[in-house]
Amino acid sequence: MQKIIKRSENFSEWYTSLIKAAKLAIYSSIKGEIIIQPNGWKIWTLIQSELNQRFAKLSIENLALPTFIKYSEFTKEMKHMDGFAPEAFIVTKKGNETLADPYIIRPTSEVLFCEYFKQITNSYNDLPIKVNQWCNVFRAEKNTRPFLRTSEFFWHEFHSIHSTKTEAKNMALTMFNLYADFFKEFLLIPGIKGEKTIGERFAGADNTYTIEALMQDNQALQSCTSHYLAQNFSKIYGITFQNKSNQKEYVYQTSAGLSTRIIGGLIMTHSDDHGLVLPFNLAPIQIAILPIMMEKNKNILSCCKKIFTKLNKKYRVKLDDSNNGLGYKISEQEVLGTPFSIIIGNNDLNNNQFTLFRRDLNTKAVYKISECEKIIDQLISIYQNELYSRAKKHLDSNIIKVNSLSEFEKSIKKYGFILAPWGGDALDEAKLKQKYSITPRCIESEIVNNHNINCFFTNKKAKYWVYFARAY
């Protein structure tokens, strides 16, 4: 079994060694590319399934768009182009033919959605249109790490168009709140919600909303974003509709996305030195049944099969009837992040009991076999609450509020998020990052004008309270 480096020794190596040990992903022969293994892909498909259910409640439909974007189309929105040009893969030849208008391999799909919207939108009766695609995108990353930053990754892209600014802004916030609920209820990841500053805003958006999670090494992870695009794209790409007064207007747009980087977030939020720790709903194997098979006791195996048949109707269950020793079986399920392992040996069978191993606490307890299903049902919410509470405690204990540069500098190595008054612009953000390797993650609140507070970094009049952190 692959050795997992301890977090205290080297957090980065712990992360990559765990991914390999848990068989989530391995490197491809092309730099920046990974092969997502069945265990990793199962987690992603469970995320997809849950989000699709939530999207359906908002009447969001899935579609599929092309991979290639004409270079001439991509460069029409210059802010958008400037934001993605350094990472773009460009196709210049088709067979032996040199392309007069090269193709961009999609780093994001705003342009493709605009092309689609333009073709299907005529009247206000067509609006709103809310669509989503699950796909892979490509960005030429310099420094790569599995799931967190790769040259190809998977995500969902939600886009919508609306007849009014208010409706579009509300949609961006609706998606933002959908993510917040999804993170708390399904991923069990607490986070800080807020709007991005100008320098951190999505290229081409008027407003970007984010959820920033805190990893165990006290670095932040931008986990998802929702954007209000206003008419920035619709005016350039000519997406119009006939309003109720028979006048032509440009639509208002939104977009939102969450990617496979969240698998990295799950690992660094919940896992430990023994392997993965996963929310119950996200575990590829939710319950493992581990018979002690030293003597090939048929009665033990028969009992385990009965439990498997009962539990497998409701949960994802694995019966490990291999010849491996119990220690190996338990360790394997620890690494894989299986929430519950049911262990049954001769003594257990004779006493009509089983031993239950809980992955959240790494503890064992004994229960009656006849109560197996009831015990599992009861422990699921306890298990979920433990994971969320533990992560929330880590987040809350690693936030500090400061007012001055000296306080900021003292807090950099001690805390994850630093809340400070900010009045700088995008250039000031760049200077701050260059000096401290720290960026503004999101705005917490606006500072009321009559409060005489200055920016901790520029000494200009502060506009907002902003969370700062080192980030992935």
Side-chain angles (χ1 to χ4, degrees), residues 55 58 60 130 158 160 162 164-182 193-196 206-211 224-230 253-257 443:
F55 294 162
L58 296 176
I60 297 170
K130 297 177 284 186
F158 163 79
S160 68
H162 305 264
T164 68
K165 176 180 180 179
T166 299
E167 189 179 273
K169 275 204 160 188
N170 287 340
M171 187 70 237
L173 291 171
T174 295
M175 286 300 294
F176 183 44
N177 291 324
L178 180 150
Y179 285 142
D181 292 341
F182 172 72
K193 296 169 57 180
E195 184 178 345
K196 285 288 190 183
D206 273 19
N207 306 93
T208 291
Y209 306 97
T210 181
I211 296 176
C224 60
T225 48
S226 179
H227 315 285
Y228 169 61
L229 304 177
Q253 289 179 262
T254 78
S255 69
I443 297 167

Side-chain angles (χ1 to χ4, degrees), residues 396-425:
D396 292 344
S397 62
N398 282 285
I399 300 173
I400 188 171
K401 190 173 185 177
V402 304
N403 289 282
S404 67
L405 183 59
S406 61
E407 290 176 334
F408 180 86
E409 291 176 334
K410 289 176 184 177
S411 303
I412 288 173
K413 292 184 179 180
K414 294 181 181 179
Y415 294 90
F417 285 110
I418 303 172
L419 183 61
W422 182 251
D425 55 22

Side-chain angles (χ1 to χ4, degrees), residues 60-74:
I60 297 170
E61 295 184 298
N62 286 330
L63 49 59
L65 297 172
T67 302
F68 297 140
I69 307 167
K70 285 185 177 181
Y71 187 87
S72 59
E73 289 295 305
F74 195 80

Side-chain angles (χ1 to χ4, degrees), residues 183-200:
F183 270 69
K184 184 176 182 179
E185 299 164 1
F186 195 75
L187 303 180
L188 308 182
I189 296 178
I192 291 176
K193 296 169 57 180
E195 184 178 345
K196 285 288 190 183
T197 57
I198 293 174
E200 291 288 317

Side-chain angles (χ1 to χ4, degrees), residues 121-124 127 163 240-243 247-251:
T121 307
N122 295 298
S123 162
Y124 68 91
L127 302 175
S163 58
T240 61
F241 69 100
Q242 207 81 14
N243 65 21
Q247 295 176 322
K248 191 173 284 188
E249 286 188 47
Y250 292 102
V251 300

Side-chain angles (χ1 to χ4, degrees), residues 210-222:
T210 181
I211 296 176
E212 301 287 325
L214 189 65
M215 305 296 97
Q216 292 180 49
D217 65 345
N218 272 356
Q219 290 198 76
L221 184 76
Q222 179 182 290

Side-chain angles (χ1 to χ4, degrees), residues 202-345:
F202 176 75
D206 273 19
N207 306 93
T208 291
Y209 306 97
T210 181
I211 296 176
E212 301 287 325
L214 189 65
M215 305 296 97
Q216 292 180 49
D217 65 345
N218 272 356
Q219 290 198 76
L221 184 76
Q222 179 182 290
S223 303
C224 60
T225 48
S226 179
H227 315 285
Y228 169 61
L229 304 177
Q231 295 175 319
N232 296 330
F233 287 88
S234 64
K235 287 182 177 179
I236 291 170
Y237 291 97
I239 312 169
T240 61
F241 69 100
Q242 207 81 14
N243 65 21
K244 291 181 180 180
S245 302
N246 290 322
Q247 295 176 322
K248 191 173 284 188
E249 286 188 47
Y250 292 102
V251 300
Y252 294 86
Q253 289 179 262
T254 78
S255 69
L258 174 147
S259 77
T260 41
R261 122 182 300 228
I262 200 57
I263 296 176
L266 280 164
I267 294 168
M268 294 191 292
T269 297
H270 298 304
S271 300
D272 60 24
D273 292 343
H274 301 287
L276 279 177
V277 179
L278 293 170
F280 186 82
N281 292 333
L282 259 180
I285 303 170
Q286 293 174 312
I287 304 164
I289 302 174
L290 312 178
I292 302 175
M293 302 288 288
M294 287 185 294
E295 299 176 7
K296 288 288 184 180
N297 189 314
K298 293 182 179 179
N299 291 330
I300 291 176
L301 192 55
S302 176
C303 177
C304 288
K305 285 180 177 178
K306 288 178 182 177
I307 294 172
F308 173 85
T309 300
K310 182 176 287 188
L311 293 178
N312 200 47
K313 293 176 182 177
K314 297 169 65 177
Y315 307 115
R316 294 183 290 277
V317 186
K318 177 181 178 179
L319 171 59
D320 184 354
D321 58 357
S322 69
N323 292 321
N324 292 320
L326 179 63
Y328 181 92
K329 291 180 179 182
I330 292 175
S331 294
E332 182 180 40
Q333 298 309 317
E334 275 188 299
V335 171
L336 295 176
T338 302
F340 301 122
S341 292
I342 293 170
I343 304 163
I344 297 180

Side-chain angles (χ1 to χ4, degrees), residues 10-19 25-28 30-36 139-153 215 217 219-221 259-265 267-268 471-472:
N10 188 310
F11 191 85
S12 179
E13 289 187 13
W14 163 79
Y15 174 79
T16 52
S17 67
L18 190 155
I19 286 173
I26 55 177
Y27 287 106
S28 163
I30 297 176
K31 178 176 168 49
E33 293 271 344
I34 60 170
I35 298 166
I36 301 179
R139 297 178 187 176
E141 298 285 359
K142 292 181 180 178
N143 300 311
T144 60
R145 189 176 298 181
F147 295 115
L148 296 178
R149 199 168 288 278
T150 51
S151 296
E152 178 183 2
F153 58 89
M215 305 296 97
D217 65 345
Q219 290 198 76
L221 184 76
S259 77
T260 41
R261 122 182 300 228
I262 200 57
I263 296 176
I267 294 168
M268 294 191 292
Y472 283 98

